[in-house]
Amino acid sequence: MAAATATLEYADRASREMRERAAARNIPTIWDRYEDVQPQCRFGKLGICCRICSMGPCRISLKEGKPPLVGACGADADTIAARNVARMIAAGTAAHSDHGRSIAHTLRLAADTDQADYQIKDEDKLRALARTYGIKTEGREARQIAREVASAALDEFGRQEGEMVMPTTAPAARQRVWKDLGIYPRSIDREVVELMHRTSMGVDADYRNILRHGMRTALADGWGGSMIATELSDILFSTPRPLRSTANLGVLNPRHVNIIVHGHEPTLSDVLAVMSRDAKLLERARERGAEGITVAGICCTANEILMRHGIPIAGNFLQQELAVLTGAIEMMVVDVQCLMPGLSELAKCFHTMLITTSPKARMPGVQHIEFREDKGRAVAREILETAVDNFAHRAAEKVYIPDAKERLVAGFTSESVFRFLGGRYRATYRPLNDGIMTGRLRGAAGVIGCSNPNVDYEKGHIGLVKELLKNDVLVVTTGCDAIACAKHGLMRPEAAFAHAGQGLQEICRAVGIPPVLHLGSCVDNSRILRVLSNVVAEGGLGEDISDLPVAGAAPEWMSEKAVAIGFYFVASGVYTLIGQPLPMMGSENVRRYLTEEIEQEVGGKWAFELDPVEAAHRMIRHIDGKRQALKLKPMMYAQAFKSEG
Ligand code: NFS
Ligand code: SF4
């Protein structure tokens, strides 16, 4: 096993220690399995293997001039690569949006049922969303409004005529771009279905046409499914407010029953988090010899319940196995997405119970306690009691919790961040826009997405974010990048003084924010779209998102969801940089379209860069280009990195 030989320069202490322990005990983890699948198929990596019909699989030659140049049906590298990437968008959009759909159903349940386990927690937001959908709010009760908002949201999925409503919240100029190009989304399910149709055998063979529909599908995610997930979660579970918490495996308590919630949808984890504080349950834990109950999160579930309840984060995607390896987890409860199937074998080495809860995501041989929204509290109670009872089976000699946790401030939203920036009474983006216009802030960057074993441990995230901060770029983050930043202390209130350039330090001090703002889970990337729209609306920085001095990055992307996110940011006018290229580099035409020509069509484009410092500089060069186009003042302080001239 070669896992221990990988560079761990950026690894936090907890992850380093747990990886060493796994290696010492010969327990395989993601890094070992990743080694085992090497060397990887180059045709797959380059996106030029097609297996969508049984005349294939067909792969295009990697050697110039050497057949086959086309598949059996005549599809060339351009068609094949575009179809493959487009299907990743469909899958990513489906994942985010199906999550959004389940929240919409939960909102309807809360509106319809007197005794529902869910209530409307943010009525202001409900009323604001109702106005977006043209639903009357005056003199009406919250539940009445909620019922109609839930159906309006559900209509976004299956509408057969007309277009989606949620994207009307984008700047007017942006909506025109989509209309002119014919990519304004009509409905979420429809775009996904049409994409699957177009990319099936013998349909769309024009790579640009395929990828334009890919953008339309991605827009149905960002400005649709994901945005619905975020907005309705805020209505049901409350809109986050800035709060303090902690992150990393050290949040586990050796004397407590430790329960990990892992996955994505907040419907179960939110109830679990609240009910874990129940007095009767604590009593039960004490009877079994534990001093208390700790619930901690992994992946986006962690972000959801951190943002709303301050529940600590155990770790991100690459730490799911490391958490089990502590031997101190009574139960890991999973719902959907980013769950490694390898967990089931690993859990057998410990007393840890792995519990699946969604009918959409089961694992062979793993206990399943099915979660249903209409009996949320009852299922949560059963799960919690089972976890508490498992404390008796913990083997003390197998327990090792690394002494590593980091303080953080999280819970920012498009409404709250700059409410603080602007003073107490009014949500305004003026101070942010002014900061950029006067050259205190260079611009802003969204750094998001997964962690990936094909990168030196978290070097992609941390190397990139630190370089941006040094150069006065404010960073907003979500998903597993957010957790990486938290573990590295970049979300401490005082982090600006250690890492930020002078201008960014001044902004952080004036407003009392860390230089890296945690905006939530991956569906909450829709909050970043909202922030960008609000910055445009505030004025002084152009008419459209594509005018803004901003950039996006997913340095360690892994999931198909990240591909959908990248495409909706590009289609929204944002320069979007990822580490490992999209799997389409076998087609020079597709590469040129996505990294160059597409900018003429939508104002954003793709970039690929594995070196984190160079990645930051490429983003900064883009930001500086936008500053010049807007004729903004030069930067106020000497900069660590100068674009040129
Ligand atoms: Ni996002 Fe969340 Fe993490 Fe990647 Fe997975 S948890 S939805 S996909 S791995 S950031
Ligand atoms: Fe081969 Fe064409 Fe079938 Fe793809 S669609 S597997 S390229 S024959």
Side-chain angles (χ1 to χ4, degrees):
M1 281 179 215
T5 62
T7 313
L8 290 173
E9 182 192 349
Y10 284 84
D12 57 278
R13 187 149 55 89
S15 301
R16 197 187 293 243
E17 286 180 10
M18 294 319 294
R19 281 178 63 173
E20 280 161 7
R21 285 181 73 84
R25 296 184 55 186
N26 236 355
I27 299 178
T29 60
I30 179 87
W31 293 277
D32 305 296
R33 295 188 301 267
Y34 180 71
E35 290 287 328
D36 291 345
V37 298
Q38 306 302 322
Q40 288 169 320
C41 168
R42 287 185 63 206
F43 298 95
K45 242 193 160 46
L46 297 173
I48 47 175
C49 169
C50 182
R51 32 168 288 270
I52 64 174
C53 90
S54 84
M55 294 185 281
C58 302
R59 49 187 217 184
I60 303 300
S61 174
L62 291 169
K63 297 205 182 77
E64 192 132 354
K66 191 172 174 271
L69 298 172
V70 293
C73 66
D76 61 12
D78 303 340
T79 305
I80 292 173
R83 283 198 298 225
N84 286 337
V85 168
R87 286 191 163 204
M88 296 181 87
I89 302 175
T93 299
H96 286 142
S97 300
D98 216 31
H99 166 172
R101 187 198 320 263
S102 83
I103 308 286
H105 280 294
T106 310
L107 180 64
R108 194 165 65 183
L109 182 77
D112 279 348
T113 322
D114 271 329
Q115 301 297 319
D117 292 341
Y118 302 93
Q119 251 93 51
I120 289 144
K121 298 251 177 67
D122 189 340
E123 212 178 305
D124 290 345
K125 193 148 206 177
L126 174 69
R127 287 175 190 274
L129 187 56
R131 284 191 286 278
T132 300
Y133 281 117
I135 294 163
K136 212 171 129 290
T137 57
E138 246 166 81
R140 299 182 75 199
E141 269 185 41
R143 277 179 55 186
Q144 258 181 317
I145 302 169
R147 197 168 299 132
E148 288 176 30
V149 166
S151 347
L154 288 167
D155 280 349
E156 300 272 41
F157 291 86
R159 178 171 295 113
Q160 299 301 319
E161 314 264 335
E163 293 171 330
M164 290 180 65
V165 179
M166 196 68 113
T168 59
T169 55
R174 186 52 19 195
Q175 294 179 54
R176 261 193 315 279
V177 169
W178 298 335
K179 292 252 158 92
D180 291 348
L181 193 60
I183 62 167
Y184 189 101
R186 296 157 299 180
S187 84
I188 300 161
D189 294 356
R190 178 172 185 179
E191 304 311 354
V192 173
V193 168
E194 184 171 317
L195 192 150
M196 294 310 284
H197 174 198
R198 284 192 193 213
T199 56
S200 64
M201 196 276 145
V203 187
D204 203 346
D206 177 341
Y207 66 94
R208 289 194 188 88
N209 206 43
I210 293 167
L211 291 165
R212 282 184 201 125
H213 185 73
M215 285 196 274
R216 189 181 213 175
T217 308
L219 289 169
D221 175 357
W223 296 89
S226 282
M227 203 170 268
I228 287 169
T230 296
E231 298 274 314
L232 302 194
S233 293
D234 284 355
I235 291 169
L236 273 173
F237 305 113
S238 79
T239 300
R241 315 189 119 260
L243 46 73
R244 288 169 192 270
S245 188
T246 47
N248 215 344
L249 294 170
V251 305
L252 301 171
N253 188 322
R255 292 176 301 281
H256 281 194
V257 172
N258 292 305
I259 302 170
I260 295 279
V261 284
H262 170 24
H264 284 76
E265 296 176 2
T267 31
L268 170 61
S269 53
D270 200 276
V271 184
L272 278 176
V274 173
M275 286 183 62
S276 67
R277 292 163 183 168
D278 178 82
K280 269 207 208 112
L281 200 71
L282 284 170
E283 189 48 45
R284 192 181 179 110
R286 283 197 202 98
E287 280 165 18
R288 282 159 185 72
E291 287 176 18
I293 300 171
T294 292
V295 173
I298 298 255
C299 283
C300 282
T301 287
N303 292 323
E304 297 275 357
I305 56 176
L306 163 75
M307 297 277 284
R308 299 196 174 88
H309 301 288
I311 299 283
I313 291 185
N316 56 9
F317 177 68
L318 287 182
Q319 288 175 288
Q320 54 189 286
E321 292 172 295
L322 305 185
V324 175
L325 277 154
T326 62
I329 310 285
E330 273 54 57
M331 183 183 277
M332 180 179 269
V333 189
V334 303
D335 56 7
V336 289
Q337 302 176 20
C338 303
L339 322 167
M340 291 185 196
L343 282 173
S344 74
E345 272 308 302
L346 178 66
K348 287 181 195 151
C349 304
F350 299 89
H351 77 302
T352 304
M353 295 178 77
L354 181 63
I355 302 285
T356 56
T357 59
S358 166
K360 296 172 196 167
R362 296 180 69 150
M363 298 183 194
V366 168
Q367 192 183 338
H368 185 73
I369 302 181
E370 192 141 311
F371 175 67
R372 282 178 41 188
E373 284 80 357
D374 61 357
K375 40 176 199 167
R377 293 175 69 86
V379 178
R381 181 171 302 283
E382 182 189 346
I383 289 174
L384 289 167
E385 287 177 358
T386 313
V388 166
D389 293 350
N390 194 31
F391 186 74
H393 300 120
R394 191 189 283 185
E397 73 283 2
K398 285 191 184 171
V399 173
Y400 180 80
I401 300 176
D403 176 25
K405 62 177 170 188
E406 191 48 82
R407 290 175 295 126
L408 64 98
V409 178
F412 296 97
T413 65
S414 59
E415 297 92 350
S416 76
V417 182
F418 304 111
R419 181 172 298 156
F420 299 93
L421 257 182
R424 278 171 180 279
Y425 302 107
R426 198 167 70 90
T428 170
Y429 278 66
R430 200 67 255 156
L432 174 69
N433 287 33
D434 284 349
I436 293 173
M437 290 163 74
T438 56
R440 244 188 202 93
L441 278 181
R442 195 165 203 156
V447 187
I448 64 144
C450 326
S451 293
N452 196 319
N454 67 8
V455 174
D456 280 351
Y457 194 81
E458 285 180 352
K459 185 177 175 187
H461 295 302
I462 304 307
L464 172 63
V465 170
K466 283 189 174 169
E467 189 66 19
L468 291 170
L469 297 180
K470 220 189 326 183
N471 287 287
D472 291 320
V473 178
L474 179 72
V475 172
V476 298
T477 175
T478 60
C480 289
D481 178 89
I483 299 174
C485 289
K487 289 191 298 173
H488 284 263
L490 299 174
M491 288 174 184
R492 282 194 213 152
E494 70 279 12
F497 308 112
H499 302 288
Q502 193 174 340
L504 177 55
Q505 275 190 34
E506 288 178 6
I507 298 276
C508 290
R509 187 182 310 128
V511 187
I513 51 170
V516 179
L517 300 174
H518 193 331
L519 262 68
S521 65
C522 287
V523 292
D524 292 337
N525 284 317
S526 64
R527 297 193 202 276
I528 301 180
L529 296 176
R530 283 264 196 262
V531 168
L532 297 172
S533 307
N534 291 347
V535 171
V536 170
E538 187 67 45
L541 291 172
E543 297 300 312
D544 192 355
I545 293 171
S546 53
D547 296 329
L548 303 175
V550 300
E556 302 190 22
W557 78 281
M558 147 307 279
S559 165
E560 292 163 314
K561 290 179 279 177
V563 179
I565 294 167
F567 268 97
Y568 72 65
F569 273 104
V570 167
S572 299
V574 178
Y575 175 87
T576 302
L577 182 145
I578 59 176
Q580 203 74 226
L582 290 169
M584 53 80 219
M585 296 293 268
S587 160
E588 176 53 20
N589 282 332
V590 171
R591 188 205 60 76
R592 193 183 312 111
Y593 178 62
L594 292 179
T595 60
E596 296 170 27
E597 296 161 8
I598 206 170
E599 194 174 20
Q600 307 297 319
E601 296 182 358
V602 292
K605 65 177 175 180
W606 284 92
F608 314 122
E609 178 59 59
L610 277 164
D611 178 73
V613 172
E614 179 52 24
H617 293 175
R618 287 177 69 174
M619 293 165 75
I620 290 168
R621 279 194 284 269
H622 173 82
I623 288 171
D624 285 352
K626 293 294 175 185
R627 292 187 63 88
Q628 261 172 14
L630 288 165
K631 301 197 169 51
L632 299 183
K633 295 203 177 101
M635 292 299 293
M636 199 172 265
Y637 302 105
Q639 294 295 301
F641 173 73
K642 288 197 175 45
S643 294
E644 88 259 345

